[in-house]
């Protein structure tokens, strides 16, 4: 639901609130004068509001509780659910239009800002504007360029209606709800990811409403129901009253205290362990069995447990805290969980025991604590050299999906250029922590650490060619790695599927599947699909570097040099993981597979990435019995990890009947042009005879000649090689399309997909089974999808993002 809108780049006749004749280029000399005129007009409107309702007082929203000026709906019981179900679907996280984040009351009172967070052109890093981190009061946010969407003048029903952006946009939608079916007109609705923003203040809403009457709230979606509209309007008219959430129960606070005690031990060993855990967990959402719906985040504080948290705000989790002692605290989260950021992790006695075993039970010295200089802190192999490598690796493996999910749900993974560094469908498996190969790589770390520096050591404003020096360092590391692998290769120390981590027989994190959905991505536990596009085989050095490159070290506010260096270094890490996998094939098979994965690419800067034999010149330790060595290897990996496969990946085990399974198999078997005509990520809601709803995710895996290029992705598309996968439940945070059908219509739906030959066929499919943005059934279906997801996966379920819904 867009309270402040983003839409197509305006023409000269529609630029912000200016009117500039398209034919009068010679009038550019008058632009400064026109700007002054418009500014003067806006000032007049501002003064008129000031005269009627008094001067703005943003500080009144900092004084809790915020009291109502009359009877009002309750924020937590009545208002918050509407905001979650109708507004947070577009307004959350970094990519909220105009930075308006409505997932919490603090985000609502912070308001909007016309500056874009995601920018691939800035030469100098921007100051960060993270909600709950970089400012603590509404007054401070005003000083950082945010303007209100609530009325901040005298609180009366009239003032709250006239002076509040949010209320005015509700009025616009009520008066002009827009089309009730079909494709929305492009002239009024641009849903492209990088559309230009127009962030309208209360003073400009009269003109905005006259010129864009269809752009009320929610933008590009059906209007709120009369009951929802009335509840939200009454609450806004009453001054947006708010009470902080109820205190947490004593038993839950006791569990929090136990974990804070563990994370704040006084010994150097405990302090170094806690720093390592924090730098990997700071993006997580933690919960306890006592109250599973309440989440916490791990933060750095100037104050110890038992005192109010005094947050240490830095760009990166390892930046200098500027205090003599850091305390790691669990801070209660008030914001609604959204799928694009939600990373749940349970804190319990079993996890605490594992951490103690890995990091504290062993006898090893920590002679001194590392500092926070960028060249030290950005390199985990230097910072945490004193911690046992086995402990670090097992810590990451234990929740490998959580760790890898950070790459997908962190701010780096937004937009096509950021994500075309990975394939649409690939597996991730790991070298066993107790294998000889892992022991060898750990020994290599001591010698190779200087070559494992990462781009974040240059912080957030890097030069445009900074990536070149990291290409040289990666080359040095690979030369050393290849040499030691070749030197030690013998029959009992050759690459083999037997050396893969099998989750110790019980941990499903041993096998992961990653899906790219063009400009977003997701990861699930288990090996999905018969033949992935590629496989990454990772050990500790590669896994750790990915985390510090894409999560801990990445700054979404960084300049173009920082972003390019991060993107290109990820190329190196991806190719290293792929070549690790290729060592399992016979030597003669590796180069043809590598060449197929990278058809038409330019010559890589690193020799090992072009020459599989240079990466590892010996035979593998595998014995093959068929001619299809690659297919046999995939099967061997599936067999090795079969014991930890998630049952939900099997349709029958997930509760689908035999007749349904036949149709799903038929749907998943579709390839090429048929698959290419479907959206990247579709949700199928299948109504059951008992009135229930079952959910399926239909994923299109787009094929490319290679993913080694930064731009011109469309030129590398191979739609004839596209595939489909059908998974039970919800996969991905950004659905592109909704389909609603009765269980008995599943064969007809599959048949309609099989018959897709062009856009007209797709339009017919959507007319029959689709629920478009304009459809009056949209919000009831959205509610039903979220309800079923919460029932089926209560810890993983969160609010979906509708900004990528197609308009077809």
């Amino acid at each position: 639901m867009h309270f402040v809108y983003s839409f197509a780049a305006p023409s000269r006749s529609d630029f912000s609130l200016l009117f500039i004749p398209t034919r009068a280029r010679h009038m550019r000399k008058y632009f400064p004068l026109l700007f002054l005129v418009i500014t003067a007009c806006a000032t007049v409107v501002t003064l008129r509001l000031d005269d009627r309702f008094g001067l703005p007082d943003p500080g009144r929203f900092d004084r809790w509780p915020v009291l109502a000026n009359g009877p009002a709906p309750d924020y937590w019981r009545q208002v918050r659910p509407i905001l979650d179900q109708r507004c947070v679907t577009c307004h959350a996280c970094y990519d909220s239009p105009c930075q308006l984040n409505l997932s919490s009351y603090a985000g609502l009172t912070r308001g909007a800002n016309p500056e874009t967070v995601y920018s691939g052109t800035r030469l100098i890093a921007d100051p960060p504007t993270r909600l709950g981190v970089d400012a603590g009061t509404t007054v401070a946010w005003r000083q950082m360029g945010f303007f209100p969407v609530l009325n901040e003048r005298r609180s009366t029903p009239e003032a709250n209606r006239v002076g509040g952006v949010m209320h005015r946009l509700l009025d616009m939608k009520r008066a002009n709800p827009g089309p009730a079916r079909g494709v929305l007109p492009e002239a009024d609705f641009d849903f492209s990811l990088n559309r230009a923003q127009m962030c309208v203040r209360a003073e400009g809403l009269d003109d905005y409403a006259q010129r864009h009457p269809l752009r009320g709230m929610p933008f590009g979606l059906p209007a709120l129901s009369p009951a929802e509209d009335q509840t939200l309007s009454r609450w806004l008219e009453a001054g947006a009253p708010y009470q902080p959430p109820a205190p947490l129960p004593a038993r839950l606070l006791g569990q929090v205290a136990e974990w804070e005690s563990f994370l704040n031990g006084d010994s150097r060993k405990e302090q170094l362990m806690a720093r390592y855990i924090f730098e990997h967990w700071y993006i997580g959402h933690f919960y306890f069995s006592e109250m599973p719906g309440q989440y916490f985040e791990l933060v750095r504080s100037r104050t110890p447990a038992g005192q109010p948290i005094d947050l240490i705000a830095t760009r990166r989790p390892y930046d200098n805290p500027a205090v003599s002692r850091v305390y790691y605290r669990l801070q209660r989260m008030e914001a609604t969980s959204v799928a694009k950021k939600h990373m749940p992790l349970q804190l319990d006695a079993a996890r605490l025991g594992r951490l103690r075993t890995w990091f504290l039970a062993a006898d090893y010295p920590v002679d001194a604590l590392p500092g926070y200089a960028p060249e030290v802190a950005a390199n985990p192999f230097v910072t945490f050299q004193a911690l046992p490598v086995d402990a670090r690796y097992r810590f990451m493996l234990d929740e490998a999906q959580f760790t890898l999910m950070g790459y997908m749900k962190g701010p780096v993974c937004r937009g096509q250029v950021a994500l075309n560094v990975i394939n649409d469908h690939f597996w991730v498996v790991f070298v066993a922590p107790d294998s000889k190969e892992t022991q060898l790589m750990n020994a290599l770390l001591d010698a190779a650490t200087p070559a494992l520096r990462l781009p974040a050591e240059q912080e957030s404003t890097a030069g445009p060619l900074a990536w070149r020096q990291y290409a040289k360092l990666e080359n040095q590391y690979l030369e050393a790695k290849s040499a030691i692998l070749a030197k030690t290769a013998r029959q009992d120390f050759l690459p083999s599927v037997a050396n893969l981590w099998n989750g110790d027989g019980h941990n499903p994190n041993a096998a992961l599947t990653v899906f790219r959905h063009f400009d977003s991505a997701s990861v699930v536990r288990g090996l999905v699909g018969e033949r992935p596009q590629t496989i990454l085989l990772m050990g500790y050095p590669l896994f750790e570097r990915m985390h510090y490159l894409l999560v801990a070290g990445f700054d979404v506010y960084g300049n173009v040099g920082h972003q390019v260096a991060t993107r290109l270094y990820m190329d190196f890490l991806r190719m290293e993981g792929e070549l690790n996998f290729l060592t399992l094939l016979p030597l003669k098979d590796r180069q043809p597979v590598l060449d197929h994965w990278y058809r038409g690419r330019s010559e890589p800067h690193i020799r090992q990435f072009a020459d599989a034999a240079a990466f590892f010149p010996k035979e593998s330790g595998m014995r093959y019995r068929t001619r299809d060595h690659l297919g046999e290897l995939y099967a061997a990996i599936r067999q090795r990890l079969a014991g930890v496969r998630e049952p939900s990946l099997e349709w029958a085990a997930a509760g689908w009947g035999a007749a349904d399974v036949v149709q799903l198999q038929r749907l998943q078997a579709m390839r090429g042009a048929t698959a290419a005509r479907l959206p990247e990520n579709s949700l199928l809601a299948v109504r059951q005879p008992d009135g229930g709803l079952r959910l399926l995710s239909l994923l299109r895996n787009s094929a490319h000649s290679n993913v080694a290029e930064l731009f011109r992705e469309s030129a590398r598309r191979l739609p004839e090689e596209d595939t489909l996968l059908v998974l039970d439940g919800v996969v991905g945070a950004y659905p592109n399309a909704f389909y609603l059908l009765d269980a008995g219509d599943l064969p007809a739906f599959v048949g309609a997909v099989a018959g897709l030959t062009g856009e007209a066929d797709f339009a017919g499919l959507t007319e029959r089974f689709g629920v478009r943005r304009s459809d009056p059934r949209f919000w009831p279906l959205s509610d039903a999808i979220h309800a079923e997801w919460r029932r089926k996966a209560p810890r993983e379920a969160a609010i979906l993002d509708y900004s990528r819904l197609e308009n077809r």
Side-chain angles (χ1 to χ4, degrees):
M1 179 196 297
H2 289 353
F3 299 125
V4 182
Y5 295 100
S6 294
F7 45 83
S11 68
R12 289 190 179 89
S13 61
D14 185 19
F15 188 81
S16 187
L17 299 180
L18 296 176
F19 177 82
I20 303 173
T22 56
R23 60 184 180 178
R25 294 187 180 182
H26 65 279
M27 292 182 64
R28 288 179 179 175
K29 62 183 178 180
Y30 300 113
F31 282 8
L33 178 60
L34 289 172
F35 177 77
L36 290 174
V37 171
I38 296 300
T39 302
C41 292
T43 302
V44 168
V45 176
T46 301
L47 292 175
R48 190 161 59 238
L49 290 174
D50 292 346
D51 289 340
R52 293 175 65 186
F53 308 120
L55 295 175
D57 176 22
R60 74 181 180 89
F61 288 109
D62 297 327
R63 297 186 287 271
W64 292 353
V66 178
L67 300 177
N69 57 29
D74 181 77
Y75 172 79
W76 291 106
R77 290 187 298 104
Q78 297 169 280
V79 175
R80 186 71 253 168
I82 297 174
L83 295 176
D84 289 345
Q85 296 161 13
R86 303 293 179 261
C87 311
V88 174
T89 50
C90 291
H91 282 277
C93 194
Y94 295 101
D95 52 358
S96 301
C98 299
Q99 296 192 55
L100 180 59
N101 187 334
L102 296 174
S103 62
S104 68
Y105 189 79
L108 174 58
T109 58
R110 179 181 72 162
N113 189 318
E115 295 296 325
T116 56
V117 173
Y118 290 97
S119 171
T121 60
R122 55 178 165 243
L123 301 179
I124 299 175
D126 279 350
T129 55
R130 295 161 296 180
L131 182 62
V133 177
D134 297 309
T137 66
T138 306
V139 173
W141 287 120
R142 297 293 167 267
Q143 295 169 348
M144 296 178 68
F146 284 78
F147 64 85
V149 297
L150 300 176
N151 170 51
E152 292 182 342
R153 295 175 173 85
R154 185 171 57 251
S155 182
T156 67
E158 182 187 10
N160 293 329
R161 287 193 298 269
V162 176
V165 172
M166 188 170 174
H167 197 287
R168 295 284 301 279
L169 293 177
L170 274 173
D171 289 343
M172 283 178 59
K173 190 70 174 188
R174 190 185 310 114
N176 297 281
R181 61 167 297 164
V183 176
L184 295 174
E186 293 183 4
D188 291 295
F189 300 97
D190 178 9
F191 302 110
S192 59
L193 185 62
N194 295 313
R195 59 190 180 268
Q197 293 192 129
M198 180 181 288
C199 305
V200 186
R201 300 171 183 260
E203 294 81 1
L205 274 170
D206 287 338
D207 182 80
Y208 181 81
Q210 287 181 353
R211 298 167 66 197
H212 307 295
L214 293 179
R215 291 176 180 169
M217 169 192 86
F219 175 66
L221 292 169
L224 276 63
S225 71
E228 292 167 341
D229 187 277
Q230 184 182 42
T231 297
L232 203 50
S233 296
R234 286 176 51 222
W235 180 72
L236 292 169
E237 289 172 5
Y242 167 83
Q243 291 272 1
L248 296 171
R251 186 173 175 180
L252 179 60
L253 292 175
Q255 293 175 308
V256 170
E258 181 183 16
W259 273 87
E260 289 190 343
S261 175
F262 169 72
L263 292 168
N264 290 288
D266 292 329
S267 71
R268 287 192 292 268
K269 179 190 288 188
E270 289 170 305
Q271 290 186 59
L272 188 59
M273 171 202 70
R275 177 174 171 178
Y276 183 79
I277 291 173
F278 169 73
E279 291 182 13
H280 291 76
W281 278 8
Y282 75 99
I283 57 173
H285 294 173
F286 303 97
Y287 66 94
F288 298 89
S289 59
E290 177 69 22
M291 193 175 177
Q294 175 62 63
Y295 292 98
F296 297 82
E297 54 188 342
L298 188 59
V299 301
R300 296 196 295 181
S301 174
R302 298 177 181 86
T303 51
Q307 298 181 23
I309 291 173
D310 184 3
L311 188 71
I312 296 172
T314 56
R315 281 183 181 268
R316 295 179 174 83
Y318 55 70
D319 283 347
N320 193 336
V323 293
S324 58
R325 175 69 189 272
V326 170
Y327 297 95
Y328 299 99
R329 307 286 303 278
L330 286 167
Q331 179 171 263
R332 182 182 190 176
M333 293 180 63
E334 183 181 316
T336 299
S337 295
V338 293
K340 59 188 173 185
K341 281 193 66 181
H342 190 44
M343 295 179 56
L345 194 68
Q346 183 174 6
L347 300 182
D348 54 20
R351 191 178 305 282
L352 194 61
R354 292 195 298 275
L355 293 174
R356 291 186 191 278
T357 299
W358 295 330
F359 290 104
L360 300 181
D363 183 17
Y364 59 92
V366 178
D367 298 325
L369 293 175
Y372 292 95
E375 63 273 14
V376 173
N379 189 334
F381 308 108
V382 173
T383 306
F384 302 107
Q385 190 171 21
L387 294 178
V389 173
D390 183 71
R392 288 180 262 164
Y393 190 28
R394 289 184 184 276
F395 169 79
M396 297 185 75
L397 288 177
D398 190 52
E399 294 290 347
Q401 182 197 28
F402 175 91
T403 304
L404 200 65
M405 197 184 297
Y407 317 158
M408 313 299 160
K409 298 197 174 186
V412 66
C413 278
R414 191 270 195 183
Q416 173 262 337
V417 173
L419 282 157
N420 68 7
V421 71
I422 60 175
N423 281 286
D424 272 44
H425 173 213
F426 62 95
W427 293 349
V428 179
V429 293
F430 303 94
V431 179
D434 54 0
S435 69
K436 292 183 178 179
E437 183 177 347
T438 293
Q439 296 168 14
L440 182 65
M441 287 301 98
N442 295 346
L444 175 63
L445 280 179
D446 290 334
T449 292
L452 295 177
R453 290 158 47 196
L454 293 166
E457 69 180 0
Q458 298 199 24
E459 301 186 88
S460 299
T461 300
L465 300 179
W467 65 272
R468 288 187 173 181
Q469 73 178 93
Y470 298 100
K472 294 178 181 178
L473 292 171
E474 175 72 1
N475 185 62
Q476 292 174 21
Y477 170 69
L478 290 179
E479 291 283 0
K481 177 180 177 180
S482 298
I484 197 168
L485 284 174
K487 182 178 179 180
T488 57
R490 55 184 184 274
Q491 190 57 43
D492 64 339
F493 193 78
L494 290 172
S496 170
V497 168
N499 293 331
L500 298 184
W501 182 51
N502 68 349
D504 302 319
H506 62 82
N507 191 332
N509 285 280
L512 305 175
T513 300
V514 175
F515 301 103
R516 177 199 170 202
H517 319 296
F518 187 66
D519 50 25
S520 65
S522 53
V523 54
V524 300
R525 295 189 299 192
L527 302 179
V528 180
E530 292 299 311
R531 280 184 176 249
Q533 292 170 336
T534 61
I535 294 185
L536 301 189
L537 172 55
M538 296 204 284
Y540 169 68
L542 182 55
F543 206 15
E544 190 76 277
R545 279 183 291 160
M546 280 194 180
H547 175 76
Y548 275 84
L549 176 75
L550 299 178
V551 184
F554 182 75
D555 180 14
V556 68
Y557 300 93
N559 79 330
V560 62
H562 170 70
Q563 296 179 43
V564 169
T566 300
R567 162 62 173 76
L568 295 178
Y569 195 90
M570 180 55 198
D571 262 337
F572 306 152
L573 300 186
R574 183 200 66 248
M575 288 186 281
E576 184 180 340
E578 291 168 343
L579 283 159
N580 286 341
F581 164 73
L582 291 180
T583 63
L584 297 170
L585 283 171
L587 184 58
K588 67 180 180 63
D589 289 355
R590 296 173 200 163
Q591 194 63 44
V593 174
L594 182 63
D595 290 342
H596 180 76
W597 286 351
Y598 289 94
R599 288 167 282 179
R601 71 170 174 183
S602 56
E603 188 67 22
H605 295 269
I606 298 173
R607 179 171 62 100
Q608 285 87 349
F609 292 153
D611 184 354
F615 185 83
F616 181 63
K618 305 290 185 177
E619 284 291 348
S620 78
M622 299 283 294
R623 297 183 63 182
Y624 289 90
R625 295 174 174 80
T626 69
R627 293 184 178 181
D628 181 10
H629 296 162
L630 185 59
E632 189 176 343
L633 178 55
Y634 289 149
I637 292 174
R638 284 195 298 271
Q639 180 62 35
R640 168 71 175 169
L641 300 171
V644 293
R645 181 174 173 82
E646 293 276 27
S648 62
L649 295 178
E650 307 295 338
W651 295 315
W656 293 92
D660 294 331
V661 169
V662 170
Q663 296 303 321
L664 298 181
Q665 289 173 335
R666 182 184 169 204
L667 183 60
Q668 186 163 279
M670 295 180 193
R671 299 286 188 272
T674 299
R677 290 188 175 92
L678 288 171
E680 295 269 350
N681 185 356
S682 303
L683 268 179
L684 278 65
V686 184
R687 288 182 295 228
Q688 302 301 298
D690 62 2
L693 197 70
R694 297 292 306 275
L695 302 178
L696 290 166
S697 292
L698 179 57
L699 308 181
R700 186 193 88 207
N701 303 311
S702 300
H704 302 81
S705 58
N706 71 78
V707 292
E709 311 291 338
L710 189 59
F711 302 112
R712 299 181 65 248
E713 178 174 357
S714 60
R716 292 178 280 112
R717 278 282 284 120
L718 299 173
E720 66 276 10
E721 297 181 14
D722 285 4
T723 61
L724 291 180
L725 286 172
V726 185
L727 285 83
D728 182 74
V730 177
V731 176
Y734 300 89
N736 303 128
F738 285 158
Y739 298 100
L740 178 63
L741 53 145
D742 293 326
D745 289 333
L746 187 58
F749 176 82
V750 175
V753 172
L756 293 177
T757 60
E759 194 63 24
D761 293 327
F762 180 81
L765 174 77
T766 305
E767 284 292 331
R768 182 174 180 186
F769 298 108
V771 177
R772 289 190 173 102
R773 286 174 165 272
S774 58
D775 197 312
R777 300 173 297 167
F778 183 89
W779 288 124
L781 176 59
S782 172
D783 293 342
I785 286 172
H786 282 97
E788 171 60 17
W789 192 15
R790 284 191 296 268
R791 185 195 69 80
K792 191 79 175 288
R795 297 287 73 79
E796 292 78 17
I799 302 297
L800 295 168
D801 189 293
Y802 294 157
S803 63
R804 313 294 207 275
L805 282 171
E806 293 183 350
N807 183 36
R808 296 170 64 189

